[in-house]
Amino acid sequence: MIELIPYLTFNGNCEEAMNFYRDCLEGEILSTQYFDKAPMDISEDLKKKIMHMALKIGKSTLMASDSMPEHQTNVGNNISLSIGIDELAKAENYFQKLSEGGKITMPLQDTFWGARFGMLKDKFDINWMINCELKK
């Protein structure tokens, strides 16, 4: 099964924005993960920022995070389409096809959260994320 999810990136105010959208659209925060839980060296300021947040709005889910300081976002590059999928072969196929003529920004690889994950910008300058939960 495949699910397409919009993913927003913010320059440090993700939590504020997602709470605003929750309040405006009668949503429900499904999860909030801060950078302090990531297995990497990060600044004290970044530890308080959002690594990943999910907001349920009706039947839809909106996901978001704060950007890393070296990857500041601008309007236009702060929205990605995220594919959630549970079949590894399809995830790899989609990643390969979407990246043709584009640019891989993070290779499809195993992650600390138990998924195969990668990011790319397609030949039309659209940002994509692919997340495939690995079977345990």
Side-chain angles (χ1 to χ4, degrees):
M1 187 166 107
I2 185 171
E3 183 179 14
L4 189 61
I5 301 167
Y7 202 105
L8 306 176
T9 306
F10 296 90
N11 285 321
N13 60 346
C14 177
E15 189 167 22
E16 177 186 1
M18 292 293 273
N19 286 326
F20 174 77
Y21 300 146
R22 177 201 61 208
D23 294 346
C24 290
L25 302 171
E26 301 176 4
E28 173 190 358
I29 301 292
L30 298 177
S31 65
T32 304
Q33 299 163 318
Y34 296 90
F35 277 104
D36 67 347
K37 302 296 185 215
M40 59 185 139
D41 291 328
I42 53 176
S43 69
E44 285 301 313
D45 287 342
L46 190 57
K47 287 181 181 182
K48 301 171 194 162
K49 300 299 180 187
I50 301 296
M51 182 173 65
H52 179 75
M53 196 167 189
L55 171 64
K56 184 86 169 160
I57 302 169
K59 293 181 182 179
S60 300
T61 301
L62 177 63
M63 294 185 181
S65 66
D66 284 313
S67 64
M68 299 293 282
E70 65 272 18
H71 299 288
Q72 291 296 298
T73 59
N74 301 302
V75 173
N77 75 351
N78 62 331
I79 298 175
S80 298
L81 296 175
S82 177
I83 295 175
I85 190 164
D86 57 7
E87 295 179 51
L88 186 54
K90 281 190 177 185
E92 291 171 345
N93 185 37
Y94 294 162
F95 191 84
Q96 186 272 323
K97 286 181 176 179
L98 285 167
S99 66
E100 288 175 8
K103 179 183 178 192
I104 294 172
T105 55
M106 179 181 176
L108 196 60
Q109 59 192 323
D110 291 349
T111 64
F112 67 89
W113 63 84
R116 177 87 38 97
F117 178 80
M119 299 187 301
L120 63 98
K121 182 176 286 218
D122 71 19
K123 64 183 178 181
F124 303 104
D125 284 334
I126 302 300
N127 295 304
W128 291 88
M129 300 174 173
I130 295 185
N131 190 77
C132 179
E133 295 296 321
L134 298 173
K135 294 185 174 31
K136 298 183 184 199

